[in-house]
Amino acid sequence: MIERLPELVNGDAALVRRGRYFTDVFMIEVGDVQYLVHVRQGRIEEVERGPFVMRSWRFAVRASADIWDRFWQKLPDPGYHDIFALLHKGEIAFDGDLQPMMANLLYVKAVIAAPRMLAAGKAS
Amino acid sequence: MTARIEPIIGRYLHLELEGRDHRIYFEEAGDGIPLLCLHTAGSDARQFRALMSDEAITSHYRVIAFDMPWHGKSSPPAGWEREEYQLSTSSYTDMIMSFARALDLDQPVVMGCSIGGRIVLSLALEHAGELGALIGLQCGAYVQRYYDSSWLNRPDVHGGEVCAAIVSGLIAPQSPEEHRWETLWHYMQGGPGVFTGDLHFYQVEGDIRGRIGAIDTTQCPLFMLTGEYDYSCAPADTQAAAALIDGARVVIMKGLAHFPMSENPELFRTYLLPVLDEIRGASKA
C-alpha cells in the first residue's frame, strides 16, 4: 500500500501542486513496520521500508495495522475515515515537528489517504 | 447554460450587541414561518444557500440566515484590531435573540449547526416561550478537545488552508466533491483567529451538560439531527444529550457528517423536510 505512494500521488497533478511547497521526509508507521516517505515539491520521490537505525524524519504518523486497514477501505466506516477522526478516538499518534504537517495538512491528508484508490480500483 | 438569478436576497442590518454597533449581513428567501438558520464555527451563512433555493422549504418557510459578527460579510465591531475574538454562550444567545427581535420574527423556528446546534440547547432553556421550535444539527452538550486549536491561527501556517484541512474530515466520504469543496472554501475565507474564537465557546466555555435536563420540550419542541460521519459531534454525543432531555427527538442521518446543509443538500433535505412538515403541522393545530 504505502510503497505505491509514488504512483498514486505523482499521477495526480492537482495533488502534486497542492504540495508544491512541501519538501521533507516523514514517517508512516503501520504497526511494527516503519516507512519513510521522501517528498520533493509535492512529488513522492521514494518510500523506504524499515527497520531503520538512527534515521531522521520531520514528523511521524503512527497507528496499528488494523486501524490503517480500516482507514484504507474504499468507503471507511465512520470514525475511520480521517486521521483527525482517528486522533479523536485515540487510535493514531502524531509526533515530531508538526509544523510542516499542519502547514500542508490538506496535502498530507490526501497523501496518507491515497492507498484508498487501490481499494477503489482506481489504480491498478 | 442559461443565466438565472437565485431567489435569495441579502441585506445589512445595524444592530447594537453588547453595547457596540454591529453591521450584520443576512440573507433570506421564502414566505411563511420564520426559519432562522445558524452557521457553524468559522464559516458563514452561505452554508444554507441550498435550503434557500429549495421551493419545498421556501413555499412554507421564510428562511433567514445571518453571518455572525467577524464572519462572512458581517464586520467585526470597530476597535477589533486591539482585541481577541472569543464567542461565549451569553454573547451568542444575545446575538441570536437581538437579531430575531430586530426583524420582528414571530415565534421563529431556530435551526443551528455545530456551535449553532449547541446554542439551540441554551435557547431551549432560556427563550423557549419566544420560539416556535428548535432544530439542532450536530447538536451535543459538550465536546472533548481532541486537537490543539492554536494551529489554526499562527503566522507560519496559512490560516485558511489549515482551517479547511482541519474540518475536511468532518465531511462524509460520500458527499459530492462540488459541495465538499464549497464547504471547505467557506473555511478558507474565514478571518484570522475567528474559527479559534468560535471554538472557545464550542470546546471550552459552552459545556451545557449540567443544565439541559431542565429543557421543557412541551413548551418548545426540540429536534436533534446528526450525521453519522461526524466525530466532532458524533451520533453518540447527540444521543447522550438527548437522553437527558424529555421529549427530545433524535434522527441519525446516514451518509452525512458535520455540515449536512452544505456538504450534501440533496440528501439532507430528505431528513429535514419531514421535520419541517411536522413543525408546520403542529403550528396550525
Side-chain angles (χ1 to χ4, degrees):
Chain A
M1 295 286 243
I2 291 291
E3 287 100 327
R4 297 185 64 181
L5 278 182
E7 59 181 291
L8 294 174
V9 172
N10 298 346
D12 183 341
L15 180 54
V16 170
R17 182 179 175 280
R18 191 170 289 287
R20 64 196 178 282
Y21 294 114
F22 187 65
T23 297
D24 227 320
V25 181
F26 70 97
M27 174 176 283
I28 298 178
E29 199 171 83
V30 181
D32 297 334
V33 185
Q34 297 184 325
Y35 298 88
L36 285 175
V37 182
H38 297 255
V39 185
R40 176 169 297 278
Q41 295 176 342
R43 289 179 58 83
I44 310 293
E45 287 198 316
E46 184 185 9
V47 176
E48 292 182 274
R49 183 186 168 117
F52 303 109
V53 178
M54 293 188 71
R55 294 291 294 276
S56 297
W57 37 266
R58 183 70 70 168
F59 60 86
V61 179
R62 311 176 195 273
S64 72
D66 174 57
I67 291 293
W68 284 121
D69 191 45
R70 298 184 72 163
F71 178 85
W72 284 321
Q73 295 297 309
K74 176 184 174 186
L75 179 59
D77 289 332
Y80 297 89
H81 63 291
D82 186 86
I83 56 174
F84 278 75
L86 295 176
L87 188 67
H88 188 270
K89 296 169 86 72
E91 295 285 7
I92 199 168
F94 308 144
D95 54 76
D97 179 5
L98 300 187
Q99 191 276 337
M101 181 177 114
M102 297 305 288
N104 295 277
L105 189 57
L106 277 172
Y107 172 78
V108 171
K109 277 188 171 188
V111 168
I112 290 173
R116 277 183 199 152
M117 283 189 272
L118 298 170
K122 287 182 183 169
S124 54
Chain B
M1 186 176 157
T2 316
R4 84 190 155 86
I5 294 176
E6 295 185 11
I8 303 169
I9 301 287
R11 301 191 73 178
Y12 290 89
L13 168 72
H14 282 263
L15 190 61
E16 188 174 301
L17 298 173
E18 298 186 306
R20 302 165 79 183
D21 178 63
H22 282 74
R23 184 169 186 257
I24 305 290
Y25 177 73
F26 69 101
E27 296 181 338
E28 66 172 289
D31 292 297
I33 301 169
L35 174 62
L36 179 57
C37 301
L38 311 173
H39 61 75
T40 63
S43 187
D44 60 60
R46 284 176 293 177
Q47 291 180 320
F48 294 98
R49 73 169 180 82
L51 271 63
M52 291 188 191
S53 291
D54 188 336
E55 278 187 27
I57 298 172
T58 56
S59 57
H60 301 293
Y61 284 89
R62 178 185 174 194
V63 186
I64 309 160
F66 63 87
D67 292 345
M68 293 165 66
W70 301 75
H71 299 68
K73 295 206 277 190
S74 293
S75 305
W80 66 270
E81 68 279 7
R82 296 180 63 82
E83 60 192 84
E84 180 183 2
Y85 167 70
Q86 277 195 337
L87 185 68
S88 69
T89 303
S90 65
S91 63
Y92 197 9
T93 303
D94 177 56
M95 172 199 315
I96 297 160
M97 297 310 296
S98 297
F99 180 87
R101 290 168 191 146
L103 264 61
D104 288 325
L105 303 183
D106 180 27
Q107 293 282 307
V109 176
V110 179
M111 177 170 75
C113 186
S114 182
I115 56 169
R118 175 77 57 77
I119 204 67
V120 150
L121 299 175
S122 288
L123 297 176
L125 280 168
E126 296 165 18
H127 298 284
E130 297 170 75
L131 304 170
L134 291 161
I135 305 171
L137 308 175
Q138 317 313 126
C139 171
Y142 170 72
V143 61
Q144 179 75 42
R145 212 165 220 187
Y146 61 95
Y147 66 91
D148 178 357
S149 65
S150 70
W151 285 106
L152 304 177
N153 182 27
R154 46 186 271 173
D156 61 348
V157 176
H158 187 290
E161 296 262 3
V162 74
C163 287
I166 279 284
V167 302
S168 68
L170 295 173
I171 296 171
Q174 309 93 320
S175 287
E177 289 297 285
E178 174 188 354
H179 296 314
R180 169 190 311 281
W181 286 96
E182 183 171 323
T183 299
L184 295 180
W185 181 252
H186 300 158
Y187 274 83
M188 291 176 172
Q189 293 189 305
V194 174
F195 186 24
T196 319
D198 287 338
L199 291 177
H200 173 73
F201 161 71
Y202 192 58
Q203 298 181 337
V204 181
E205 188 266 348
D207 180 354
I208 195 171
R209 283 175 294 181
R211 299 173 58 210
I212 55 174
I215 290 174
D216 180 1
T217 57
T218 63
Q219 199 177 2
C220 181
L222 172 64
F223 298 85
M224 303 164 84
L225 282 62
T226 291
E228 63 168 347
Y229 272 91
D230 192 358
Y231 49 90
S232 173
C233 177
D237 298 318
T238 297
Q239 284 156 340
L244 302 172
I245 306 168
D246 284 343
R249 302 268 300 276
V250 175
V251 179
I252 303 305
M253 301 182 288
K254 293 274 185 196
L256 290 167
H258 196 70
F259 308 99
M261 62 285 175
S262 69
E263 68 175 83
N264 196 340
E266 292 78 11
L267 181 56
F268 175 54
R269 72 195 294 279
T270 67
Y271 290 100
L272 180 64
L273 287 173
V275 171
L276 292 179
D277 284 348
E278 185 175 335
I279 292 171
R280 189 162 59 91
S283 74
K284 281 183 194 160

